[in-house]
Amino acid sequence: MHHFGHVAPEVRKRLFFREPCEFDSNSPARLLAAALGATLYSPATRPRLADDIVKQADRGVVSMVLCLEDSIGDEDVPAGEENLVRQFTELAARPAPSLPLLFVRVRTPQQIPDLVARLGPAVRLLSGFVLPKFTEERGIPFLEALAVAEAASGRRLFAMPVLESPELLYRESRVDTLEGIFRAVDKYRDRVLALRLGVTDFCSSYGLRRAPDMTAYDVQVVASVIADVVNMLGRADGTGFTVTGPVWEYFRVQERMFKPQLRRSPFLEGQAEELREALIEHAMDGLLREIALDQANGLLGKTCIHPSHVLPVHALSVVSHEEFSDAQDILRPERCGGGVLRSSYTNKMNEVKPHRAWAERTLLRAEVFGVANEDIGFVELLAAGIPT
């Protein structure tokens, strides 16, 4: 699979200076962590789950989480497990389609080896598990269960812990909780693909819910947690992990208090004013702003609960030609001694040593999401990716 694979080849040629690379569930973990993109959640109880997975893959989704936790009622868990096994078995029997990376969000550690055993040969379609409300104390049993299931199945399985517990949110326990989380995930580093942020749970601890014209970064109690998670778990010194962006809850807005947050000029230049109006109508201007803030704060990818959110995440993840040019200049072998140089776009300073980690991260993102042509912006990427 590869990002923008649902777009016609001739359109991709027009959009990309360098097209996204191909990857699959057996690719290196570092590549997969960067490639997750918009991870679409779906309740495991959906009766046509196998068809839904295939349909979303055809629309550009490359990672999905099939949820047995908060998205379904307590009484529906046994039926959800049974449906999950049945739908995986059905998918495995079909001619080999290009499927997303598939993860299961479980409630208890015991579910992991149990589901892997019940999946049988269909476990080859499974990439791993999402671990809820992760702390050191609660998380270690999940990671131990994952190791047992992996050994029994012979299948490489990844973990994606969700950081959403009150202990992480509360200031008096935050540092100790983060240190414990680091100890747990560092011990199982080879199997921890990414850390996910559960911002909805953070808000619930204070009876909060952000409005569609506000981002997670406008809710200061939440923004402070994101900052500390990146500070302690997302460092670029080799000790950090990929941290993904929080969920965006809205997909249609009846009334708004503040002005839309999308400038008109990029859409006029791209002759896409109707696209701008549609994005505003469906609260996507807030989503686009939050994605930009995610990236500015060191997050990569995003949890999504609606298919319409996938394309904006992927479009804004494509590396611009200017970013690519800067990153390449910074990482040239002859620059290893440091120094300062003017960017090839002659609009900024590139300082080799301080910008090196940014450049390395940018080139990894360029590998999985591609590099846009010099005259292509996010408007063209959005417009080209919309199914016709």
Side-chain angles (χ1 to χ4, degrees):
M1 75 187 89
H2 55 93
H3 284 289
F4 293 90
H6 64 301
V7 176
E10 63 273 15
V11 177
R12 292 202 306 271
K13 185 175 181 180
R14 176 176 60 82
L15 294 175
F16 288 100
F17 174 78
R18 177 174 293 185
E19 289 200 25
C21 72
E22 292 191 359
F23 58 91
D24 59 30
S25 60
N26 296 312
S27 296
R30 183 169 178 268
L31 188 76
L32 292 182
L36 287 168
T39 300
L40 184 63
Y41 275 55
S42 176
T45 51
R46 290 180 67 90
R48 298 181 62 84
L49 187 58
D51 292 335
D52 293 341
I53 291 169
V54 172
K55 180 171 71 173
Q56 296 307 327
D58 290 342
R59 293 181 175 180
V61 174
V62 304
S63 64
M64 289 186 70
V65 172
L66 314 175
C67 186
L68 290 166
E69 207 227 356
D70 285 348
S71 69
I72 67 174
D74 297 347
E75 69 280 4
D76 295 326
V77 173
E81 292 179 347
E82 183 179 339
N83 185 60
L84 198 65
V85 172
R86 183 170 60 252
Q87 301 288 342
F88 263 76
T89 302
E90 180 185 332
L91 272 178
R94 296 185 182 188
S98 178
L99 296 176
L101 304 171
L102 297 176
F103 302 85
V104 175
R105 182 173 179 173
V106 290
R107 294 182 173 217
T108 67
Q110 294 75 23
Q111 284 179 299
I112 293 176
D114 178 63
L115 284 169
V116 166
R118 290 163 66 181
L119 284 172
V123 76
R124 64 181 174 82
L125 304 181
L126 181 66
S127 290
F129 292 89
V130 174
L131 314 180
K133 299 171 179 60
F134 193 93
T135 62
E136 182 179 28
E137 181 181 359
R138 289 194 293 270
I140 288 292
F142 279 102
L143 294 169
E144 290 174 344
L146 182 76
V148 169
E150 185 179 66
S153 67
R155 166 76 178 167
R156 181 179 71 166
L157 296 170
F158 287 112
M160 291 202 290
V162 185
L163 310 186
E164 55 187 345
S165 65
E167 300 98 314
L168 179 59
L169 182 62
Y170 300 151
R171 181 179 292 275
E172 65 271 20
S173 55
R174 186 179 303 170
V175 172
D176 286 345
T177 302
L178 283 168
E179 288 176 344
I181 289 170
F182 178 80
R183 285 191 295 269
V185 295
D186 188 51
K187 182 179 179 181
Y188 290 86
R189 178 174 292 272
D190 290 346
R191 289 298 171 262
V192 176
L193 189 61
L195 305 176
R196 313 200 71 89
L197 288 166
V199 164
T200 302
D201 279 46
F202 290 157
C203 288
S204 74
S205 295
Y206 289 90
L208 304 175
R209 186 173 191 178
R210 69 189 190 275
D213 40 16
M214 293 188 180
T215 71
Y217 303 92
D218 296 312
V219 183
Q220 291 300 300
V221 70
V222 170
S224 70
V225 184
I226 296 174
D228 286 343
V229 167
V230 174
N231 190 328
M232 296 183 67
L233 300 175
R235 298 177 185 179
D237 60 0
T239 67
F241 295 82
T242 296
V243 183
T244 66
V247 68
W248 181 257
E249 297 179 351
Y250 296 94
F251 43 88
R252 190 173 183 89
V253 177
Q254 301 303 323
E255 184 178 2
R256 62 170 62 238
M257 182 182 300
F258 300 111
K259 291 173 62 176
Q261 301 173 75
L262 282 180
R263 290 191 304 113
R264 190 180 300 272
S265 55
F267 292 86
L268 292 176
E269 293 168 8
Q271 298 182 332
E273 178 66 13
E274 289 184 6
L275 173 59
R276 179 180 180 271
E277 296 301 324
L279 290 169
I280 292 170
E281 180 185 356
H282 291 85
M284 296 297 180
D285 55 325
L287 170 62
L288 290 168
R289 181 167 178 263
E290 186 165 284
I291 296 166
L293 288 170
D294 286 341
Q295 293 176 359
N297 284 277
L299 309 184
L300 184 60
K302 199 165 187 65
T303 294
C304 294
I305 47 84
H306 195 273
S308 64
H309 299 168
V310 172
L311 181 57
V313 174
H314 292 171
L316 267 71
S317 297
V318 174
V319 172
S320 71
H321 187 273
E322 181 175 344
E323 290 176 307
F324 182 68
S325 175
D326 287 340
Q328 281 197 313
D329 284 348
I330 290 165
L331 295 176
R332 291 188 191 283
E334 63 269 25
R335 304 288 184 190
C336 63
V340 178
L341 58 148
R342 184 176 63 174
S343 75
S344 59
Y345 274 68
T346 68
N347 62 355
K348 72 177 74 65
M349 173 192 75
N350 287 328
E351 194 167 354
V352 173
K353 288 184 178 179
H355 289 146
R356 186 174 188 85
W358 169 86
E360 290 171 345
R361 185 170 182 169
T362 298
L363 290 190
L364 178 61
R365 182 160 57 93
E367 186 174 357
V368 294
F369 287 101
V371 179
N373 270 320
E374 195 167 355
D375 59 343
I376 296 296
F378 77 93
V379 173
E380 290 84 359
L381 291 160
L382 276 171
I386 295 173
T388 56

